[in-house]
């Protein structure tokens, strides 16, 4: 159980860091260049980020927390399940419902950078916050083991 709990913690930490880094450095960096260059760079990022490492972290975080919650006892189970729920709603659902469609619109050329950047970053920051909350919940769950 401890190995699963630590894996869950690491996965959540990696995901929170990814979303945080985008909101606090990648997007401001792209906003500092011409919109056409920012769009081209973001299109490239959006294509390259779709790789097994992202899927492991992105899909693995809520699944690991769910499995840990189902295997744990008492308060630890509740905290792991809460982490899974927050991560699923705040990261997975937001990504599928908002960020990916915006990425697709940017890629198709139907959403200009000025409409994309602020809105995408706001939703990404929500994903970062949800991921940090999930990370903290996993930490509390580990403390309750």
């Amino acid at each position: 159980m401890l190995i699963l709990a630590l894996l869950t913690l690491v996965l959540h930490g990696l995901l929170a860091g990814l979303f945080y880094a985008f909101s606090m450095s990648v997007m401001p960096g792209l906003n500092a260049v011409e919109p056409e260059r920012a769009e081209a760079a973001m299109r490239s990022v959006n294509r390259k980020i779709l790789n097994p490492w992202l899927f492991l972290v992105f899909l693995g975080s809520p699944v690991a927390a769910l499995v840990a919650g189902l295997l744990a006892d008492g308060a630890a189970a509740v905290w792991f399940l809460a982490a899974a729920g927050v991560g699923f709603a705040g990261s997975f659902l937001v990504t599928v419902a908002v960020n990916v469609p915006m990425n697709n619109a940017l890629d198709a050329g139907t959403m200009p950078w000025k409409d994309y950047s602020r809105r995408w970053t706001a939703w990404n920051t929500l994903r970062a916050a949800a991921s940090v909350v999930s990370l903290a919940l996993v930490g509390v769950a580990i403390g309750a083991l």
Side-chain angles (χ1 to χ4, degrees):
M1 182 67 211
L2 183 59
I3 291 180
L4 174 59
L6 292 175
L7 174 64
T8 303
L9 183 73
V10 169
L11 289 171
H12 279 80
L14 290 169
L15 190 59
L18 173 69
F19 292 145
Y20 172 78
F22 262 90
S23 285
M24 62 81 57
S25 63
V26 173
M27 296 306 285
L30 292 176
N31 286 331
V33 301
E34 295 81 20
E36 298 78 24
R37 290 177 59 203
E39 288 176 14
M42 192 65 175
R43 283 187 195 105
S44 179
V45 167
N46 286 336
R47 289 182 190 117
K48 294 297 182 182
I49 201 167
L50 298 177
N51 65 68
W53 295 110
L54 171 71
F55 295 125
L56 172 68
V57 172
F58 180 68
L59 299 174
S61 296
V63 170
L66 176 63
V67 171
L70 294 173
L71 296 177
D73 295 320
V78 173
W79 292 112
F80 278 123
L81 292 173
V86 170
F88 180 77
S91 173
F92 182 82
L93 290 180
V94 169
T95 299
V96 170
V98 180
N99 291 87
V100 168
M102 289 182 69
N103 291 346
N104 293 340
L106 184 74
D107 192 51
T110 59
M111 180 177 276
W113 187 255
K114 68 179 181 60
D115 297 335
Y116 174 89
S117 177
R118 258 173 65 200
R119 183 171 169 223
W120 190 95
T121 303
W123 283 101
N124 184 70
T125 302
L126 174 67
R127 296 189 301 177
S131 295
V132 168
V133 169
S134 294
L135 174 63
L137 291 169
V138 170
V140 172
I142 290 172
L145 286 176

